[in-house]
Amino acid sequence: MIVQLPMLDDRKSGYGFLSPVSSHGKWRAWHCGNDLNFGKTAWADFDAEVKPMADGKVVYSRNAGPGWGNLVVIYHHELTRLFGHPVYSRYAHFNKVLVSAEQEVTKSSVIGFCGKTGTSSPHVHWEVLKRKLDHWTLYPNGWSEEKVLKYWFNPYKFMEEANQKANEVSEFAEESVEKAIGKMIATQWTNPKQIVGDAVVEQVFINLGVLKQREGNLTKERLIVALDRLHVFDKL
């Protein structure tokens, strides 16, 4: 599993993705994430541990004032490579934040404790973005649903899709990648960065003699996951 829930979500009492948000009884914006709750009452969530949805690097961590409270944004490098575009996650309302900007975090890191800063009851507001925002405190007031969908994923659907992509990488794919990288480096034929940009990766591997035709579909996405697991990017 490459993506996890930042906190349990059993009570289902909060807003979901694309729920309309009102102000003084009038429609104002779309809710671009999910509010995570797990206790029998709202206050049962207070001070619960919150972890990042995936490994990454903190790019924003501070009190963002009314509405957001204590806000954390994380850039996910592995997911960015897997999907081919930036992936960020945004979390709000912490009682206390334990991370700072530029800090690397893993799925096991506690980034803060559930709270109610900027809102009325304890919960974790969780978003998944596919683009960088001009300001990390931006909220899409008055945006159309179409424009929102250009920036935000449905968090639960994203988690399901990301885990499915990651699980598609079989052992033979990792073994083939490892052999291919070794051959390419030994012969000075190319380097791993060029492989990722190649639309016919599978055929290249077959030509190198490290992958058989019958082993089938080594897609670009599966290749990137395998490269990550072998820490190839870390060595470049």
Side-chain angles (χ1 to χ4, degrees):
M1 183 173 68
I2 197 172
V3 175
Q4 66 183 7
L5 273 178
M7 189 180 84
L8 290 177
D9 189 22
D10 290 343
R11 187 152 44 92
K12 304 290 185 184
S13 63
Y15 280 104
F17 183 63
L18 290 188
S19 300
V21 179
S22 64
S23 178
H24 305 296
K26 295 181 179 180
W27 181 87
R28 180 170 59 91
W30 296 107
H31 191 257
C32 293
N34 281 89
D35 287 350
L36 305 182
N37 312 84
F38 75 91
K40 291 182 179 179
T41 67
W43 281 92
D45 301 338
F46 191 77
D47 264 350
E49 291 184 348
V50 182
K51 298 180 179 181
M53 71 172 193
D55 297 354
K57 183 178 182 179
V58 179
V59 295
Y60 185 97
S61 178
R62 65 182 66 175
N63 189 295
W68 289 115
N70 291 323
L71 182 67
V72 172
V73 181
I74 298 174
Y75 169 70
H76 301 282
H77 34 75
E78 186 176 358
L79 291 170
T80 292
R81 288 196 286 265
L82 180 61
F83 280 83
H85 57 69
V87 177
Y88 296 87
S89 55
R90 185 162 65 165
Y91 314 81
H93 313 314
F94 292 94
N95 179 41
K96 183 179 181 180
V97 173
L98 300 181
V99 294
S100 55
E102 303 301 316
Q103 183 176 338
E104 295 283 347
V105 294
T106 69
K107 289 191 297 182
S108 62
S109 304
V110 177
I111 58 175
F113 300 101
C114 179
K116 67 181 202 70
T117 55
T119 188
S120 59
S121 63
H123 66 273
V124 173
H125 176 85
W126 168 44
E127 297 177 359
V128 183
L129 294 107
K130 61 184 80 172
R131 295 185 181 188
K132 183 178 181 180
L133 297 172
D134 291 337
H135 306 287
W136 285 121
T137 56
L138 182 148
Y139 208 78
N141 293 343
W143 285 22
S144 67
E145 182 178 352
E146 181 181 10
K147 186 175 180 181
V148 166
L149 290 173
K150 290 180 179 179
Y151 282 80
W152 278 270
F153 288 103
N154 178 321
Y156 276 97
K157 288 184 178 179
F158 176 82
M159 182 170 65
E160 181 180 356
E161 183 180 354
N163 289 333
Q164 182 177 357
K165 286 180 184 291
N167 290 335
E168 286 177 352
V169 179
S170 61
E171 288 183 7
F172 86 78
E174 292 190 26
E175 292 169 3
S176 298
V177 169
E178 194 165 28
K179 289 177 183 177
I181 297 302
K183 271 198 171 185
M184 291 173 183
I185 291 174
T187 60
Q188 297 184 342
W189 178 72
T190 185
N191 67 56
K193 285 185 177 178
Q194 291 173 305
I195 300 173
V196 175
D198 197 323
V200 289
V201 172
E202 185 178 15
Q203 190 58 51
V204 171
F205 279 20
I206 291 170
N207 293 342
L208 283 167
V210 298
L211 184 68
K212 296 178 182 177
Q213 189 80 47
R214 62 181 174 79
E215 289 177 321
N217 193 21
L218 180 61
T219 64
K220 180 177 175 180
E221 290 168 348
R222 292 173 70 183
L223 171 65
I224 293 172
V225 173
L227 289 171
D228 258 334
R229 290 182 181 176
L230 293 167
H231 305 290
V232 171
F233 292 103
D234 298 338
K235 300 171 185 175
L236 300 179

